[in-house]
Amino acid sequence: ETANPDGTLVIEALLVDEKKRRLGFGAELSSTEGLGISAYWMHRNLLRGAERFRLESDVSGIGGDTGGIDFRFGGSFRRPATFQRDTTLNLFGDYEVLDEPDFFERKIELTAALERYVSERFQI
């Protein structure tokens, strides 16, 4: 409650690590677009270096009037301190199929990025 002679303050904290794995899901219902369902699975600290791995998928347009059934499947991987302490590696992949009244599209997206923290207010 009182500061030390050097101006510092002693704080005691108990930290509890969250669960390493998470599973989530959801559903939406629309009178025109039909039923949509989504789910994801996430694993934190996958390789014991504070990484985050996530897989997710969603299906929409089930029983809807706006075209066929659309679906998407994707994943991401985030690894902090990749080459040095302030650099984070981000990998992302996504496969999507859109069945719309005017077009049919299949799309694959792959992304790799390095994120560098220069200061608390600036990152590249």
Side-chain angles (χ1 to χ4, degrees):
E1 294 184 17
T2 60
N4 295 327
D6 62 354
T8 61
L9 185 63
V10 176
I11 298 175
E12 292 184 25
L14 175 63
L15 303 176
V16 178
D17 196 18
E18 291 197 30
K19 294 181 180 180
K20 292 186 180 189
R21 294 172 192 89
R22 289 188 184 170
L23 178 65
F25 55 91
E28 297 178 6
L29 182 61
S30 170
S31 58
T32 56
E33 295 179 12
L35 177 66
I37 55 174
S38 62
Y40 77 89
W41 176 79
M42 184 176 70
H43 191 300
R44 293 179 341 108
N45 208 19
L46 181 67
L47 304 172
R48 301 188 192 273
E51 302 87 4
R52 186 177 69 195
F53 178 64
R54 180 177 170 128
L55 296 174
E56 55 189 60
S57 181
D58 56 68
V59 179
S60 61
I62 302 170
D65 298 332
T66 60
I69 296 176
D70 303 331
F71 72 89
R72 185 185 65 81
F73 179 76
S76 63
F77 178 74
R78 181 176 174 91
R79 180 179 179 222
T82 298
F83 298 117
Q84 51 189 314
R85 186 172 50 115
D86 294 334
T87 304
T88 301
L89 172 68
N90 293 300
L91 302 173
F92 175 76
D94 200 38
Y95 176 70
E96 184 175 25
V97 175
L98 297 175
D99 188 2
E100 302 297 325
D102 298 331
F103 66 91
F104 183 83
E105 177 184 45
R106 287 188 180 141
K107 179 174 74 170
I108 295 175
E109 180 182 354
L110 300 172
T111 305
L114 290 173
E115 187 176 354
R116 168 110 167 117
Y117 294 93
V118 178
S119 69
E120 288 187 21
R121 293 183 157 196
F122 183 68
Q123 62 190 27
I124 53 174

